[in-house]
Amino acid sequence: MSYSYPSGKTFYQLTGTGKQTIVFIHPTGMGSAVFHYQRVLQKNFAVLTYDLRGNGRSGGLLPALSVRELADDLYELLSLLSISKAIICGYSNGGCIAQEFALAYPDKTEGLLLIGGFPEVSTPLLTLEFKLGIALTGAGGMSCLSKAIARSHAPDPCMKDILERYMMLSDPYGLYKQYQMTFSYTATARLHLLAMPVLLIYGSSDRYLKSYPAIYEKEIPHAKIVYISDAGHQIPTKSPNELNFILKHFIQNYIECSAHLHE
């Protein structure tokens, strides 16, 4: 396990020594702690988790001005670690950064995995959630926001405390800017450019994202879509065993096969 601050702005953890590297990108505010249960995948793959600028242990930094800028941060991190190609996995609005990275750097993207992903904020419930995040981070409501998000994600009191404490490390203004930029972000018209293997994972009970799978199906016909029964949006922490099995199976039986076909 290694910890570092490349360019003075990114905290990361890189574990495992597998042939493939999975990069996990967290939602605004949550930091890499939300992928606590995915670190077990280091038994099969190299696993890279990191805190976006202004988040977690990368907090207190100048906020990014665009989703592309956050994608460029990841490119710099992979270059620093001499990782030529990786499987990019984004959760919730971390998926927007994952999408943007795959669009900007397709040669460095071995596969794109989105957990509760969306290409734009266009539904009433998701719009409301983003407006609430913008309002709370912009008006001194970090404590309230961190408690609510931690409570919704935690499977037990211990994990709730870990997530809440980690989120409070973040820079409120940085989160405010990140909520704003993701709220106005759209990749829908460019989704057809994603030629690499794509996996979309949703909870069957996720009422915020019901209309988005159809958009992906239309724009990326080769994308695979998996639904986890009786799961909501908080898949990495509430359905970790199911998620880890799906990720491992897709990488070993689809991404690896695709790579061999192109050799």
Side-chain angles (χ1 to χ4, degrees), residues 27-88:
T28 301
M30 295 208 72
S32 54
V34 73
F35 297 118
H36 173 80
Y37 299 109
Q38 279 63 64
R39 289 176 182 142
V40 69
L41 291 169
Q42 66 184 312
K43 295 176 182 177
N44 302 98
F45 314 102
V47 175
L48 175 61
T49 59
Y50 72 107
D51 295 339
L52 300 171
R53 65 165 82 180
N55 290 254
R57 299 190 205 186
S58 296
L61 306 163
L62 292 174
L65 301 176
S66 67
V67 172
R68 173 58 188 269
E69 194 171 353
L70 292 176
D72 291 343
D73 285 350
L74 176 56
Y75 177 84
E76 291 178 10
L77 179 58
L78 293 180
S79 298
L80 177 82
L81 297 174
S82 299
I83 297 173
S84 61
K85 207 165 189 178
I87 298 162
I88 310 300

Side-chain angles (χ1 to χ4, degrees), residues 17 24 74 78-79 104 115 133 183 223 248:
T17 56
F24 287 98
L74 176 56
L78 293 180
S79 298
I115 307 163
F183 185 52
K248 180 180 175 182

Side-chain angles (χ1 to χ4, degrees), residues 11-260:
F11 173 86
Y12 72 84
Q13 299 179 45
L14 178 60
T15 60
T17 56
K19 182 179 178 181
Q20 282 111 347
T21 299
I22 311 176
V23 181
F24 287 98
I25 306 177
H26 65 80
T28 301
M30 295 208 72
S32 54
V34 73
F35 297 118
H36 173 80
Y37 299 109
Q38 279 63 64
R39 289 176 182 142
V40 69
L41 291 169
Q42 66 184 312
K43 295 176 182 177
N44 302 98
F45 314 102
V47 175
L48 175 61
T49 59
Y50 72 107
D51 295 339
L52 300 171
R53 65 165 82 180
N55 290 254
R57 299 190 205 186
S58 296
L61 306 163
L62 292 174
L65 301 176
S66 67
V67 172
R68 173 58 188 269
E69 194 171 353
L70 292 176
D72 291 343
D73 285 350
L74 176 56
Y75 177 84
E76 291 178 10
L77 179 58
L78 293 180
S79 298
L80 177 82
L81 297 174
S82 299
I83 297 173
S84 61
K85 207 165 189 178
I87 298 162
I88 310 300
C89 182
Y91 166 47
S92 194
N93 69 354
C96 296
I97 302 165
Q99 285 171 142
E100 192 61 27
F101 181 90
L103 288 164
Y105 304 106
D107 58 320
K108 294 189 75 70
T109 308
E110 192 170 2
L112 176 63
L113 316 179
L114 302 180
I115 307 163
F118 49 90
E120 61 183 56
V121 179
S122 57
T123 62
L125 279 177
L126 197 58
T127 296
L128 180 62
E129 184 176 274
F130 268 83
K131 287 185 175 180
L132 181 60
I134 291 170
L136 288 173
T137 52
M142 269 295 294
S143 178
C144 177
L145 183 64
S146 63
K147 288 180 185 298
I149 291 179
R151 187 182 301 114
S152 69
H153 279 77
D156 55 60
C158 180
M159 194 60 188
K160 176 182 177 298
D161 185 60
I162 290 172
L163 293 174
E164 184 178 341
R165 288 175 181 271
Y166 209 85
M167 189 163 181
M168 286 301 294
L169 295 174
S170 299
D171 170 35
Y173 182 63
L175 302 193
Y176 171 74
K177 296 297 291 185
Q178 285 174 31
Y179 269 120
Q180 283 189 320
M181 77 173 70
T182 312
F183 185 52
S184 60
Y185 173 79
T186 179
T188 304
R190 297 177 291 148
L191 291 177
H192 69 280
L193 299 173
L194 296 170
M196 70 285 296
V198 177
L199 173 66
L200 308 165
I201 304 169
Y202 293 97
S204 63
S205 301
D206 189 345
R207 56 199 179 98
Y208 287 86
L209 303 175
K210 285 186 176 180
S211 65
Y212 291 109
I215 295 175
Y216 283 112
E217 282 186 306
K218 177 183 177 182
E219 301 297 334
I220 317 175
H222 68 274
K224 306 296 183 184
I225 303 180
V226 176
Y227 293 91
I228 298 178
S229 299
D230 302 319
H233 186 63
Q234 302 84 1
I235 292 173
T237 54
K238 291 290 188 70
S239 303
N241 294 334
E242 294 90 337
L243 173 61
N244 294 345
F245 175 83
I246 292 167
L247 295 180
K248 180 180 175 182
H249 183 271
F250 183 78
I251 293 169
Q252 294 181 335
N253 295 280
Y254 188 68
I255 292 181
E256 286 185 5
C257 290
S258 178
H260 290 321

